[in-house]
Amino acid sequence: MGVLKKEEIYSLEDIYALPEGERAELVDGVIYYMAPPSMGHQRLVSEMHYLIKDYIKKNKGKCEVFPAPFAVFLDNSDKTYVEPDLCVICDPIKLDDRGCHGAPDWVIEVVSQSSRQMDYFRKLFKYRSAGVREYWVVDPEKKRVVVYNFEKDTMMEYLFGEEVPVGIYKGLFIRV
């Protein structure tokens, strides 16, 4: 009779103990190491960050947009810690010097080859169950944006170059 190997469960303590410069996310006690982003990835994140921040500022909005690396503690457990490429938080009570405690209102992930499974499946489930209102998966390889509006329980797909309406902001459209 074989012996079942016990899978190790990690916590925030393990994330904070990582060597300087090493990035990882923690989902349900499992560590997922992150590869450095490509220049194309960073360009997309930077452009979207600018457009969202500019929209909020021009409309005197109270929400804030944060690019990665920015800590998001999705639930009250010390077993989940993510760093979305972009997140918009409208409730200032969720914010402190460590990051966001609870679900951001809007999360954008730019898919890379190493993050495909994480962005399309694991994070989709975690963000939805944590209470994120809107989740975008921007996929440069497939040249598409998949928009999950969890409040309306809808999923829409847009091609790069098309105007993508932002569910949490009426009047904001982003052309990726």
Side-chain angles (χ1 to χ4, degrees):
M1 183 171 186
V3 177
L4 275 175
K5 182 182 173 220
K6 184 177 177 242
E7 205 171 292
E8 191 159 356
I9 301 294
Y10 295 93
S11 70
L12 287 173
E13 198 175 294
D14 299 300
I15 290 292
Y16 287 121
L18 290 172
E20 183 74 29
E22 191 165 346
R23 288 182 54 217
E25 293 179 306
L26 180 68
V27 177
D28 297 327
V30 179
I31 289 182
Y32 297 92
Y33 293 93
M34 298 162 56
S38 69
M39 182 176 62
H41 178 280
Q42 290 302 87
R43 277 188 179 138
L44 279 171
V45 170
S46 181
E47 184 64 21
M48 288 186 291
H49 179 243
Y50 171 78
L51 293 169
I52 296 164
K53 187 171 182 76
D54 187 56
Y55 178 87
I56 293 169
K57 198 173 197 178
K58 282 181 179 169
N59 289 280
K60 297 177 179 33
K62 301 207 185 311
C63 302
E64 291 188 70
V65 59
F66 296 94
F70 182 75
V72 174
F73 308 95
L74 278 178
D75 46 38
N76 289 327
S77 143
D78 71 341
K79 304 290 184 262
T80 299
Y81 163 96
V82 292
E83 292 183 3
D85 288 314
L86 285 168
C87 60
V88 174
I89 296 114
C90 300
D91 183 354
I93 292 170
K94 291 181 180 180
L95 296 170
D96 68 15
D97 284 344
R98 291 181 68 202
C100 176
H101 300 270
D105 293 86
W106 179 19
V107 171
I108 300 173
E109 294 285 6
V110 177
V111 177
S112 63
Q113 200 52 43
S114 62
S115 73
R116 188 164 294 284
Q117 286 287 109
M118 184 70 127
D119 294 338
Y120 275 108
F121 301 105
R122 284 183 193 90
K123 285 187 178 177
L124 171 66
F125 175 76
K126 288 304 287 185
Y127 290 148
R128 181 183 192 122
S129 43
V132 169
R133 294 166 56 198
E134 186 167 351
Y135 176 45
W136 287 22
V137 180
V138 178
D139 194 329
E141 185 180 306
K142 295 186 179 189
K143 298 195 179 336
R144 72 176 182 189
V145 181
V146 181
V147 175
Y148 299 91
N149 184 323
F150 297 134
E151 289 182 314
K152 295 181 179 174
D153 201 25
T154 61
M155 187 271 282
M156 296 290 294
E157 195 173 301
Y158 301 87
L159 298 177
F160 277 21
E162 292 181 312
E163 283 193 335
V164 182
V166 177
I168 70 164
Y169 291 123
K170 301 300 173 228
L172 176 58
F173 296 84
I174 295 179
R175 189 184 308 268
V176 180

